[in-house]
Amino acid sequence: MLGGRQAGERHITRAGQGGGRDVFEYALLRVVPRVERGECINAGVIVYCRARSYVGARTHLDEARLLALDPAADVAGVRAALRAVEGVCAGGEAAGPAGGDDAGRRFRWLVAPRSTVLQPGPVHTGLTADPDAETERLLRLLVR
């Protein structure tokens, strides 16, 4: 069940009918320790809500699961990459050149397909009244 609806149930909301909720997009962050094998674990979520100029990420690395896939995985490197994603979402000077971009550009850059150890999953959508709380909810539901 996502957003109070049963899986597979469709819900169309027209402008002004969202009940105070706004459209948001999200993508999972996946750790793929050995790209050639394609095995992965979920380690975070990125959420973007255009109506609220919000982009945020929450991460959680299950080190035991990662090492089960690849005992030689660079745990410190993966943690650094996850922190970097959170930093880009936060914006500002510490985020480097992307930090000055608007929330939408930062989200699009972060969810662009790449073949590295940390990869974004497909982008999904939903409705939310609180994008920050939604980010936490998705982390609990899909990552932890």
Side-chain angles (χ1 to χ4, degrees), residues 14-61:
R14 291 180 177 77
Q17 295 180 334
R21 298 181 301 166
D22 296 305
V23 173
F24 73 95
E25 299 173 71
Y26 72 95
L28 287 169
L29 291 171
R30 298 174 175 163
V31 178
V32 186
R34 293 181 55 194
V35 176
E36 70 277 7
R37 291 183 59 134
E39 299 168 329
C40 66
I41 62 168
N42 294 340
V45 63
I46 307 169
V47 171
Y48 169 58
C49 180
R50 180 179 177 190
R52 303 203 185 194
S53 298
Y54 173 89
V55 64
R58 299 291 187 283
T59 63
H60 171 78
L61 181 60

Side-chain angles (χ1 to χ4, degrees), residues 1-2 6 8 10 29 31 34-35 42 59 64 72 74 78 88 97 105 113 116 120 131:
M1 188 154 42
L2 183 62
Q6 295 291 327
R10 294 186 179 255
L29 291 171
V31 178
R34 293 181 55 194
V35 176
N42 294 340
T59 63
D74 179 4
V78 171
V88 169
R105 287 181 58 96
T116 62

Side-chain angles (χ1 to χ4, degrees), residues 4-144:
R5 297 187 311 273
Q6 295 291 327
E9 180 181 331
R10 294 186 179 255
H11 181 79
I12 299 172
T13 302
R14 291 180 177 77
Q17 295 180 334
R21 298 181 301 166
D22 296 305
V23 173
F24 73 95
E25 299 173 71
Y26 72 95
L28 287 169
L29 291 171
R30 298 174 175 163
V31 178
V32 186
R34 293 181 55 194
V35 176
E36 70 277 7
R37 291 183 59 134
E39 299 168 329
C40 66
I41 62 168
N42 294 340
V45 63
I46 307 169
V47 171
Y48 169 58
C49 180
R50 180 179 177 190
R52 303 203 185 194
S53 298
Y54 173 89
V55 64
R58 299 291 187 283
T59 63
H60 171 78
L61 181 60
D62 186 330
E63 188 173 320
R65 289 181 69 199
L66 174 59
L67 293 173
L69 287 181
D70 182 3
D74 179 4
V75 175
V78 171
R79 287 191 190 284
L82 290 168
R83 280 192 307 273
V85 169
E86 290 176 329
V88 169
C89 286
E93 272 186 40
D101 286 340
D102 63 57
R105 287 181 58 96
R106 285 183 277 145
F107 177 76
R108 297 286 171 238
W109 182 75
L110 289 167
V111 299
R114 52 185 51 92
S115 181
T116 62
V117 171
L118 185 60
Q119 299 178 11
V123 175
H124 305 281
T125 61
L127 293 171
T128 187
D130 184 345
D132 196 51
E134 193 68 38
T135 306
E136 289 292 337
R137 186 186 76 79
L138 290 169
L139 181 73
R140 282 191 316 273
L141 180 69
L142 303 172
V143 177
R144 290 189 185 250

